[in-house]
Amino acid sequence: MSSKNKTEVLIDGKIYTLSGYESEEYLQRVATYINGKISEIKGAEGYSRLSSELQGIMLNLNTADDYFKAKRQADSLEEQLSEKDRELYEIKHELISAQIKLETAEKTVSSLQEEANDYQKKIVQLETQLSAVKDQKNVRH
C-alpha cells in the first residue's frame, strides 16, 4: 500500500494541509478546482450578503452539480462505449462468417479447377483416341 502524501494548499486565501494516498499534484488540482468554484460563486449576485453557512452550502451545491453532470456524461460515454463494443463484436462475427464462407468458396473453386483439369485431360485423351480411330479408318479405306 502506498503511503499518505501531505501537502499545503491555498484555498480562498487560507493555507490548509491536505493528506491522502493520491499524489501531491492531485491534491493541488483539487484545491485549484475548489478555488475556481469559490471564485465562480463569489461572482453570483447577493453572495456576499449570505451567511458563511449558506456560502458553504452554495459551494457544496455547485460542486455536487458539477459532479452529477460529469457523472451523467461519464455514464453516457460508458453507454456509448458499450454500444460500440457490441457493434465491434457483431462486425467481428460477420468478418469471421465471411472468412469461413471465403475459405469454403476457395476450396470449392480449387476443387472445381481440379475437376476441370481432369475433364480437360479426359477431353485430350478422347480426342487422341478419336483421332487414332479416324486414322485407322482412313488407313483401311
Side-chain angles (χ1 to χ4, degrees):
M1 182 176 227
S2 60
S3 61
K4 269 190 167 182
N5 293 311
K6 285 186 178 183
T7 188
E8 288 187 344
V9 296
L10 184 65
I11 298 176
D12 198 25
K14 295 179 186 153
I15 296 176
Y16 296 93
T17 300
L18 296 182
S19 66
Y21 293 105
E22 293 82 4
S23 68
E24 289 182 32
E25 181 183 284
Y26 175 81
L27 297 173
Q28 289 291 342
R29 281 196 345 250
V30 169
T32 300
Y33 170 79
I34 293 298
N35 278 321
K37 291 310 292 178
I38 290 170
S39 294
E40 187 181 307
I41 62 172
K42 276 186 175 180
E45 191 176 318
Y47 174 81
S48 60
R49 292 189 301 264
L50 296 175
S51 68
S52 60
E53 181 183 3
L54 286 176
Q55 288 176 353
I57 289 173
M58 194 169 174
L59 175 63
N60 289 335
L61 287 170
N62 276 271
T63 304
D65 180 51
D66 287 351
Y67 166 78
F68 284 110
K69 285 177 181 174
K71 182 159 178 20
R72 182 176 56 220
Q73 183 179 13
D75 290 345
S76 174
L77 290 172
E78 199 170 295
E79 190 176 309
Q80 289 174 16
L81 181 60
S82 291
E83 179 61 29
K84 296 296 180 195
D85 282 345
R86 280 191 295 276
E87 289 174 11
L88 182 60
Y89 175 80
E90 289 173 6
I91 289 170
K92 284 181 179 179
H93 186 269
E94 289 174 15
L95 177 61
I96 290 169
S97 293
Q99 286 174 329
I100 290 170
K101 287 178 183 177
L102 177 60
E103 288 173 6
T104 302
E106 286 173 342
K107 287 178 185 174
T108 301
V109 166
S110 178
S111 174
L112 290 173
Q113 284 176 335
E114 286 179 30
E115 194 175 326
N117 287 339
D118 290 344
Y119 284 131
Q120 275 296 49
K121 289 176 188 175
K122 193 157 195 131
I123 288 171
V124 169
Q125 285 176 345
L126 290 173
E127 286 176 343
T128 303
Q129 288 174 357
L130 181 61
S131 178
V133 168
K134 283 183 181 179
D135 287 345
Q136 284 179 353
K137 258 186 163 182
N138 285 340
V139 170
R140 283 191 219 157
H141 288 287

